[in-house]
Amino acid sequence: MPRTKIFYLITGLCIGGAEKLLLALATRLDRSRFEPGVGTLVGGNLLEAFEREGIRVHNFAMRHKADVGVVFRLRRALLAERPDVVHTHLLHADLLGRLVAWWCRVPAIVSTFHMLEGPRHRWIVKSADRWTSRVNHALVAVSEEVKQGIARVEGID
């Protein structure tokens, strides 16, 4: 039976709550059933921790917020990896990852909300977040408080 390929995309891999959660999640998957891969938009000091666990890491080396080259680097990686699921973490990875995964026709797109990030409240970001979240197959909140906050901010059940 083929393993399910999951490609996790996160904004950065500097030590923090979301990054530690992703490390725990990716390293604790049943490798007989799942094949994890990780992408990071800006790199970070946890790259080696994933690699030590035998998880492929793609560093897309995003230089600034308007670095459109990262879209094409991510697209190339997704087309090469051919994941069954793209699972995004944190705002920039959510916005870019959803769109590029949809463009690459990834069968399932999931985003995890770790907190009620301040930038998600600005109208342009809120609009982009709402628009891109339409391609998601699932939204996950790390806590009940985050779930209630996202439901309130996004106007969803």
Side-chain angles (χ1 to χ4, degrees), residues 60-75:
F60 299 110
M62 188 172 166
R63 295 180 300 272
H64 49 79
K65 291 180 183 180
D67 181 2
V68 294
V70 74
V71 171
F72 299 101
R73 292 189 296 275
L74 175 56
R75 181 174 190 270

Side-chain angles (χ1 to χ4, degrees), residues 45-84:
N45 53 3
L46 283 178
L47 277 161
E48 295 82 23
F50 284 93
E51 290 171 344
R52 274 194 307 273
E53 294 290 334
I55 298 171
R56 284 180 317 287
V57 180
H58 297 265
N59 182 357
F60 299 110
M62 188 172 166
R63 295 180 300 272
H64 49 79
K65 291 180 183 180
D67 181 2
V68 294
V70 74
V71 171
F72 299 101
R73 292 189 296 275
L74 175 56
R75 181 174 190 270
R76 267 194 308 276
L78 291 182
L79 291 174
E81 293 283 333
R82 308 204 50 76
D84 301 296

Side-chain angles (χ1 to χ4, degrees), residues 10-146:
I10 191 163
T11 302
L13 283 176
C14 291
I15 296 174
E19 298 79 8
K20 288 182 195 175
L21 179 136
L22 180 56
L23 181 61
L25 179 61
T27 57
R28 291 187 173 111
L29 287 175
D30 178 351
R31 297 289 179 91
S32 68
R33 296 179 55 214
F34 301 99
E35 183 181 339
V38 172
T40 174
L41 298 179
V42 298
N45 53 3
L46 283 178
L47 277 161
E48 295 82 23
F50 284 93
E51 290 171 344
R52 274 194 307 273
E53 294 290 334
I55 298 171
R56 284 180 317 287
V57 180
H58 297 265
N59 182 357
F60 299 110
M62 188 172 166
R63 295 180 300 272
H64 49 79
K65 291 180 183 180
D67 181 2
V68 294
V70 74
V71 171
F72 299 101
R73 292 189 296 275
L74 175 56
R75 181 174 190 270
R76 267 194 308 276
L78 291 182
L79 291 174
E81 293 283 333
R82 308 204 50 76
D84 301 296
V85 179
V86 166
H87 186 171
T88 65
H89 296 264
L90 302 177
L91 181 61
H92 291 92
D94 289 344
L95 297 176
L96 284 174
R98 291 171 185 158
L99 288 178
V100 177
W102 173 81
W103 186 18
C104 293
R105 300 176 197 260
V106 173
I109 303 167
V110 178
S111 293
T112 292
F113 291 97
H114 294 268
M115 61 184 158
L116 293 174
E117 297 157 301
R120 283 195 199 267
H121 300 291
R122 291 191 306 229
W123 74 269
I124 189 76
V125 176
K126 187 176 179 178
S127 297
D129 193 28
R130 273 192 181 163
W131 186 77
T132 61
S133 69
R134 292 178 181 167
V135 303
N136 272 65
H137 295 89
L139 299 172
V140 178
V142 297
S143 69
E144 184 63 31
E145 182 180 349
V146 170

